[in-house]
Amino acid sequence: MFHFPQSIIALAQTLERGWETYRADGEFDAFVEFTLSLNGLTEHLNRQHLPGLVRACQELENTALSLFADSSMHPVPLDQANGIERKLNIILAELQRHETPAVLARRVLDAPEGHCEDTWNRPRRVILVSRADHPWAGSLGEQLSFFGFTPEYLRWGEQPADNEPALAFAFIPDREGRAYPPAEIAAIVALRTRFPTSYFYCLAVPSNLQSIVLLQRAGADACVPVGNKVSDVLSRILDLVEMREQEMHRVLVVEDSATAVAHIRRSLSQHGIDSRAINDPRLLLEAAAEYRPDAILMDMYMPFCTGVEVTSALRQIRDYQSLPVIYLSSETDIVQQVEALRLGGDQFLTKPVNPIILASVVKTKIERYREMLYSGQHDSLTGLLNHSTSKEQIERLLHDAEQSGKLVVAMIDIDRFKMVNDTFGHPVGDQVIRSLAWLLRGRLRNTDLIGRYGGEEFIIALPDVDLVRAIALLEQIREDFSQLPHTHAQGTLRATFSCGVAALPDYSSVSDLIGAADESLLEAKRKGRNRLVLAPGKEG
């Protein structure tokens, strides 16, 4: 039996109660609450990679928004109310029938029976639709299995034998680079109807608008252009189980009106956004340092100074130079608005602001801000933590490990990598690096640290795990990587890696842990490569 996360269940229940309240009294305020709940549910479903349900919610949301602005239209006529209710019932029924693929795909660490909250990543179902002998299906399926997925094969026009939710479908056309024929389009439509929560990839799509639009109408979420390799498709599927934590958005409200603060915080809360408010801009730096907001909502006019002056001062401090600042004001003078933006603001919203617009602007600004921070901390090729961020995060893990006394650090280096680049070219070398990164991401936990330390070298930190168990896991990953095929123009190649391991309590500082693991890595290379060497303990 599958279950949605409690947060989505709660949102769905709130949405259903909101609609029942509106149908009972027809009050405009109840309809506003219903629309806000619907918008919040759409946002949550989108983060959980449920494109079919998101699409249904967006259609219902558009209908509701068309009735949102004018209170004189309420209660809505019976035929419109019945139409909304039919769409709502479809969404609610689908939520009762399916579980979130992202939850099925979540990494968990294998533990004794009865401790299911701490288990390693389990296989994930991906269905490949193609003709019986298509070479792409076998190649993609082989690689998917190495990264912890469960590939299944389906012929065009067939249906899966069960209704078990799949993380994704990958459609491989018979003729690469040609428009999908009507029979294949019909097959996609049939599968989309049956599996609304799965992600649909259409491969080898020609670069013309008509083909892409028709596939999108059929239910495709991503149209992969003709010429893209199997590794590109694999990368997209792995992105569905990206290990970034979904932290709650945090907004600091700088506003001297208690009424305005109450309205703003209520609007943000309805969309899952946390907030804190201060009524004196002179407290801003202390509040920002303690709360660490993702954005600031700034009133333009306050007793001590203007919002523009506050923002201008804020931009003098390095940590806040890129922090989004959104002005909220009744100011309608376009010159003043432009000047406010020129002096450091990111957006100007005029009071009173529509709560859905407010939440959408805040989330958009925060996501872009977080993406910028993410880019500065992660390697562009693999998406793993970069060198400097890896060391910083290991320092944090070491501090957190003071009570448990358990932290294992491993250094990994791909064997004879220069020969791979010299023989097959740098694109193939990049593919080998990405494949190891994907394998590590697929086999390790969300709480584990994985970084690209430089070139073909990786660093791993495993908190709260026994050394014996960590070594067994790393040995399994090493063995699996040695069997992983990497495709290139002349066929496939296989690569290996060497690994050095150090752990608490034998090495108690970050520099000692990394240094010992690195020295053990060199020892593994000296002993013939494709092996793991443990750093000597205190007695060694």
Side-chain angles (χ1 to χ4, degrees):
M1 181 68 180
F2 296 105
H3 302 282
F4 275 102
Q6 185 60 41
S7 60
I8 289 183
I9 294 172
L11 282 169
Q13 291 172 342
T14 300
L15 182 67
E16 187 173 20
R17 287 196 300 269
W19 179 249
E20 290 172 352
T21 300
Y22 176 72
R23 288 304 301 264
D25 60 28
E27 293 292 331
F28 178 62
D29 287 345
F31 190 81
V32 171
E33 293 291 335
F34 166 74
T35 308
L36 292 173
S37 298
L38 178 58
N39 180 262
L41 178 62
T42 305
E43 291 281 349
H44 276 69
L45 292 173
N46 191 46
R47 287 200 296 271
Q48 295 289 345
H49 302 295
L50 296 165
L53 282 168
V54 168
R55 194 178 295 112
C57 283
Q58 287 173 338
E59 290 176 1
L60 179 54
E61 190 177 342
N62 289 338
T63 301
L65 287 173
S66 68
L67 304 167
F68 188 82
D70 189 353
S71 60
S72 66
M73 302 174 68
H74 296 268
V76 297
L78 182 61
D79 58 336
Q80 284 185 311
N82 290 339
I84 291 173
E85 191 159 313
R86 280 194 297 271
K87 292 179 179 180
L88 176 62
N89 287 337
I90 290 172
I91 294 168
L92 294 175
E94 207 58 57
L95 285 170
Q96 294 168 0
R97 198 165 66 89
H98 287 275
E99 187 188 23
T100 306
V103 172
L104 299 177
R106 182 175 177 82
R107 269 169 271 218
V108 286
L109 172 68
D110 195 22
E113 194 169 338
H115 295 81
C116 58
E117 72 277 7
D118 191 29
T119 52
W120 291 108
N121 187 29
R122 295 173 181 173
R124 293 149 283 181
R125 188 186 193 196
V126 178
I127 298 177
L128 309 175
V129 182
S130 70
R131 69 168 189 260
D133 57 345
H134 202 294
W136 284 20
S139 177
L140 182 55
E142 184 179 16
Q143 294 195 50
L144 282 168
S145 64
F146 271 95
F147 297 120
F149 295 90
T150 302
E152 297 180 16
Y153 303 91
L154 200 67
R155 305 296 163 241
W156 281 106
E158 294 180 350
Q159 287 279 334
D162 57 59
N163 287 322
E164 185 80 10
L167 175 68
F169 282 76
F171 298 93
I172 305 171
D174 287 348
R175 303 182 68 182
E176 181 180 347
R178 301 289 185 88
Y180 279 52
E184 293 180 1
I185 295 284
I188 295 171
V189 171
L191 289 168
R192 169 52 80 202
T193 302
R194 188 174 170 191
F195 296 92
T197 63
S198 301
Y199 212 83
F200 278 25
Y201 295 94
C202 290
L203 280 58
V205 177
S207 298
N208 70 72
L209 191 62
Q210 182 176 352
S211 294
I212 295 172
V213 168
L214 288 175
L215 288 171
Q216 287 176 334
R217 288 176 180 173
D221 298 294
C223 295
V224 183
V226 61
N228 282 33
K229 300 179 179 65
V230 167
S231 61
D232 297 313
V233 180
L234 179 62
S235 177
R236 289 173 181 248
I237 293 175
L238 282 160
D239 283 342
L240 285 180
V241 288
E242 173 61 57
M243 63 181 179
R244 298 188 211 181
E245 294 295 330
Q246 291 288 346
E247 293 183 6
M248 179 173 281
H249 300 84
R250 297 183 302 275
V251 175
L252 182 61
V253 181
V254 185
E255 169 66 69
D256 63 332
S257 167
T259 302
V261 166
H263 172 71
I264 291 167
R265 296 194 66 191
R266 180 172 178 272
S267 298
L268 295 176
S269 176
Q270 288 174 324
H271 289 80
I273 302 171
D274 188 53
S275 64
R276 185 173 296 182
I278 57 174
N279 59 11
D280 187 339
R282 289 171 290 188
L283 303 175
L284 175 61
L285 295 183
E286 292 83 354
E290 193 259 326
Y291 183 54
R292 296 181 299 107
D294 298 302
I296 293 177
L297 284 175
M298 183 84 70
D299 187 19
M300 273 288 285
Y301 300 109
M302 291 171 284
F304 173 71
C305 59
T306 69
V308 174
E309 289 175 315
V310 177
T311 303
S312 182
L314 192 70
R315 296 305 189 211
Q316 306 301 314
I317 301 172
R318 182 176 180 180
D319 289 347
Y320 305 124
Q321 287 176 350
S322 302
L323 183 66
V325 175
I326 302 164
Y327 292 118
L328 288 176
S329 176
S330 56
E331 177 64 68
T332 57
D333 186 341
I334 191 66
V335 175
Q336 294 296 324
Q337 292 185 12
V338 170
E339 184 70 4
L341 297 176
R342 186 182 68 81
L343 293 175
D346 295 280
Q347 185 87 28
F348 199 105
L349 296 176
T350 303
K351 296 177 182 177
V353 61
N354 182 304
I356 292 180
I357 296 295
L358 175 63
S360 297
V361 168
V362 166
K363 287 181 178 180
T364 299
K365 294 297 181 184
I366 289 177
E367 291 302 325
R368 289 177 181 172
Y369 174 63
R370 287 184 172 179
E371 195 64 39
M372 181 200 68
L373 295 179
Y374 182 89
S375 298
Q377 296 172 345
H378 292 76
D379 169 60
S380 60
L381 178 64
T382 62
L384 302 179
L385 294 174
N386 59 26
H387 179 103
S388 59
T389 307
S390 295
K391 294 181 72 173
E392 292 172 3
Q393 293 297 316
I394 292 177
E395 189 79 56
R396 177 184 58 80
L397 291 175
L398 184 61
H399 179 269
D400 294 344
E402 288 179 354
Q403 289 186 340
S404 69
K406 295 179 180 179
L407 180 64
V408 179
V409 173
M411 297 291 291
I412 289 175
D413 189 83
I414 299 173
D415 298 325
R416 298 185 173 89
F417 185 73
K418 184 177 184 300
M419 186 179 70
V420 173
N421 275 341
D422 293 345
T423 304
F424 302 102
H426 287 277
V428 175
D430 287 348
Q431 181 182 332
V432 174
I433 288 174
R434 284 200 306 267
S435 294
L436 178 52
W438 294 335
L439 185 61
L440 293 171
R441 284 168 53 188
R443 299 297 171 84
L444 300 181
R445 300 167 295 176
N446 284 335
T447 53
D448 296 327
L449 179 145
I450 316 169
R452 186 182 179 196
Y453 212 59
E456 66 275 18
E457 195 170 25
F458 296 75
I459 188 168
I460 295 169
L462 309 174
D464 299 316
V465 61
D466 292 327
L467 179 59
V468 172
R469 197 165 170 210
I471 289 175
L473 171 69
L474 292 168
E475 284 282 23
Q476 185 62 60
I477 294 173
R478 182 190 60 77
E479 176 63 27
D480 289 345
F481 182 69
S482 70
Q483 301 299 317
L484 175 60
H486 310 280
T487 59
H488 57 87
Q490 289 76 44
T492 60
L493 67 92
R494 282 174 169 78
T496 61
F497 69 70
S498 300
C499 179
V501 178
L504 289 178
D506 296 315
Y507 303 91
S508 56
S509 70
V510 172
S511 59
D512 287 348
L513 280 165
I514 294 176
D518 201 37
E519 183 57 40
S520 298
L521 170 61
L522 295 175
E523 181 66 17
K525 296 280 190 181
R526 287 192 288 266
K527 288 184 174 180
R529 301 181 177 85
N530 191 24
R531 67 188 66 230
L532 181 150
V533 172
L534 175 64
K538 291 178 180 178
E539 305 298 324

